[in-house]
Amino acid sequence: MDNIKLLNVQSLDSHKRLEYLIRKVADFELIWSSYGDNGWLLLSDENGRRITPFWPEKEFVNEYNITHKYDYFAKKIDLYYF
């Protein structure tokens, strides 16, 4: 994936990004997340609820980890297992 495609998808509104995620996951039967020494990346929302982010492609995970300086790597999850 090139940077232009990555930027184009990131510039979509949340509804269109969700549609993109669903389409890619359905096509490839894979979903991606961040994994590290302590397991899956867990974030918190403003109410303290735990959140695990998921992405449609490996490049999105890598970009997120680099941008946020997380020491995690992209790990795919088979849709059936997910």
Side-chain angles (χ1 to χ4, degrees):
M1 172 188 306
D2 59 34
N3 285 339
I4 294 172
K5 180 179 175 184
L6 185 71
L7 293 172
N8 285 340
V9 173
Q10 290 173 331
S11 70
L12 298 173
D13 65 42
S14 60
H15 182 77
K16 293 290 185 189
R17 284 194 316 270
L18 178 60
E19 288 177 350
Y20 182 84
L21 170 75
I22 292 168
R23 192 172 55 250
K24 288 294 184 176
V25 171
D27 285 349
F28 294 101
E29 297 184 356
L30 295 172
I31 194 161
W32 293 84
S33 195
S34 289
Y35 194 83
D37 291 340
N38 295 320
W40 298 103
L41 174 65
L42 293 175
L43 305 174
S44 296
D45 70 6
E46 61 276 356
N47 297 316
R49 292 178 292 209
R50 303 300 283 183
I51 300 167
T52 301
F54 297 101
W55 292 272
E57 298 172 78
K58 179 180 183 178
E59 292 79 7
F60 289 101
V61 182
N62 291 336
E63 189 274 335
Y64 186 85
N65 290 336
I66 291 168
T67 299
H68 292 89
K69 297 181 170 92
Y70 289 133
D71 190 22
Y72 287 79
F73 62 92
K75 186 171 181 177
K76 65 183 172 184
I77 306 166
D78 181 87
L79 186 57
Y80 178 78
Y81 178 76
F82 179 75

